[in-house]
Amino acid sequence: MSIFDKFRGVEQRLAELQAEGGRNPFSVVIERPLSSTVGIIEGRETLLFGTNNYLGLSQSPRAIEAAVEAVKARGVGTTGSRIANGTQSLHEQLEQRIAGFFQQKHCMVFSTGYQANLGMISTLAGKGDYLLLDADSHASIYDASRLGHAQVIRFRHNDPDDLHKRLNRIKDEPGAKLVVVEGIYSMTGNVVPMAEMAAVKRETGSTLLVDEAHSFGVLGPNGRGVAEAAGVEDDVDFIVGTFSKSLGTVGGYCVSRHPELELVRLHCRPYMFTASLPPEVIAATMAALDDMEAQPELRTRLMENAERFHTGLNKLGLTTGKTVSPVVGVVLETIPEAIMLWNTLLSLGLYVNLSLPPATPDHHPLLRCSVMATHTSGQIDRAVEIFGEAMTRLPASA
């Protein structure tokens, strides 16, 4: 028996995907970005509607210049973890900036958003504790549950009543109860009913962690996310997020009012045993944060674009999530239909993400689209037109 035998099923399925559509949907190469909204794929100019670059700041001139200057002054890496030689003054500056932005006292910066969830959740909820997760939680949250060894209880997606019921069942059990929700769910674009979730937290005395990865920079009067939008920031114990969406860089963070977050640094393995962010990324992230704070109109334009795209797809008869957000999941009935539609879209010059079961809610395949503030109205309309044209090319049996 080979150690690779466990992957033969994936190998066969990948071969079937390529046979059905002619491409490997998980190895698309953007040969060169021309802007935040257009890139070269397969030698053609292609509209980018699958990048999570919500504010278009990956191409920020201010962030690019800051990165260049940091490289010249500090080199390209730290070569160490945050608890060894990997903390430079820039790391502390970024933590202070992020804490200040969220109006919190404490911040930890991680090398990726995945590590932020993995590290915080696994460290906070350990053996003997209870971890209550939305059924549609991101893979990083589920991976954290395995690393931390807490007892996992899943509640129905975006259902505060079900959460309350499950917390009541364990109210007399020893151990901490950590509830984890996401601001915007990454596959469907659904927004958590944050005020109701916060009410459950208050009534049950549990601890609440919100993953604002897809809502940071998107929701709230100042872009602090769903907790700010719902007016319940004081009820949230920990806010986790990433720089790789709205700020267009890479890295993750956790902010909190609890001073014990400083102790977490010395217990959190994904924080302790990995190299810290390089200085150019930190400099670019702070510059992108400057851009975001200086241009609140980006959030307005983003939501206008999301509404325009969402409405356009619905007029074509496509099924999307009910909530309008920059994440627009087009739900399809069969995997062959999803593969053919995705391939046709790309051939026509539109890139979106293909998501297949079991990585999708309700075991339906979907085409996951993400809208940017920097998309023009013309680009939004053209993307809808391409969807319409692609649908006419599907065989009747698809």
Side-chain angles (χ1 to χ4, degrees), residues 235-257:
D235 293 307
V236 178
D237 296 283
F238 303 95
I239 294 175
V240 173
T242 180
F243 305 136
S244 64
K245 304 325 189 249
S246 288
L247 295 186
T249 61
V250 69
Y253 62 86
C254 176
V255 295
S256 178
R257 66 180 179 277

Side-chain angles (χ1 to χ4, degrees), residues 74-331:
R74 296 172 179 264
V76 296
T78 66
T79 72
S81 80
R82 290 294 306 276
I83 64 167
N85 64 294
T87 296
Q88 297 185 4
S89 59
L90 280 179
H91 294 83
E92 293 186 327
Q93 290 174 35
L94 178 58
E95 288 180 335
Q96 291 165 7
R97 283 290 310 278
I98 297 299
F101 176 80
F102 280 97
Q103 298 183 353
Q104 300 286 339
K105 293 184 177 180
H106 306 277
C107 175
M108 287 173 61
V109 164
F110 292 79
S111 297
T112 66
Y114 175 90
Q115 286 175 302
N117 264 341
L118 188 70
M120 289 305 306
I121 295 168
S122 65
T123 305
L124 292 170
K127 189 174 182 181
D129 296 326
Y130 291 88
L131 183 56
L132 293 102
L133 306 180
D134 186 288
D136 287 358
S137 290
H138 188 265
S140 60
I141 295 172
Y142 279 115
D143 289 351
S145 73
R146 296 184 181 98
L147 183 62
H149 303 294
Q151 182 171 333
V152 176
I153 299 174
R154 299 202 315 169
F155 58 92
R156 286 194 296 270
H157 176 54
N158 271 356
D159 191 335
D161 291 335
D162 192 47
L163 171 62
H164 199 291
K165 183 191 306 180
R166 293 174 188 276
L167 280 166
N168 275 340
R169 289 174 183 167
I170 58 172
K171 64 181 179 180
D172 296 324
E173 298 295 328
K177 285 83 175 178
L178 177 65
V179 176
V180 179
V181 298
E182 299 176 44
I184 295 176
Y185 284 83
S186 61
M187 285 292 173
T188 61
N190 292 339
V191 178
V192 67
M194 196 63 239
E196 292 84 351
M197 293 295 186
V200 173
K201 180 257 181 176
R202 290 193 301 271
E203 292 167 13
T204 60
S206 52
T207 302
L208 181 58
L209 182 149
V210 181
D211 177 6
E212 299 270 21
H214 293 270
S215 43
F216 169 47
V218 172
L219 298 179
N222 299 287
R224 294 200 294 268
V226 69
E228 182 193 23
V232 294
E233 289 175 287
D234 289 345
D235 293 307
V236 178
D237 296 283
F238 303 95
I239 294 175
V240 173
T242 180
F243 305 136
S244 64
K245 304 325 189 249
S246 288
L247 295 186
T249 61
V250 69
Y253 62 86
C254 176
V255 295
S256 178
R257 66 180 179 277
H258 297 295
E260 290 85 355
L261 187 65
E262 298 304 318
L263 298 177
V264 172
R265 292 183 194 271
L266 303 179
H267 290 264
C268 183
R269 298 176 70 83
Y271 175 87
M272 297 167 63
F273 298 109
T274 191
S276 63
L277 284 174
E280 65 271 23
V281 170
I282 295 179
T285 299
M286 289 193 288
L289 183 60
D290 290 339
D291 278 337
M292 189 176 81
E293 290 184 296
Q295 301 177 72
E297 65 273 13
L298 289 175
R299 285 191 298 282
T300 302
R301 196 178 313 139
L302 174 65
M303 295 309 294
E304 290 173 350
N305 285 347
E307 175 72 39
R308 189 183 191 100
F309 189 57
H310 192 273
T311 300
L313 293 179
N314 288 162
K315 285 181 178 178
L316 292 176
L318 290 165
T319 301
T320 62
K322 296 179 180 179
T323 306
V324 175
S325 80
V327 178
V328 183
V330 178
V331 182

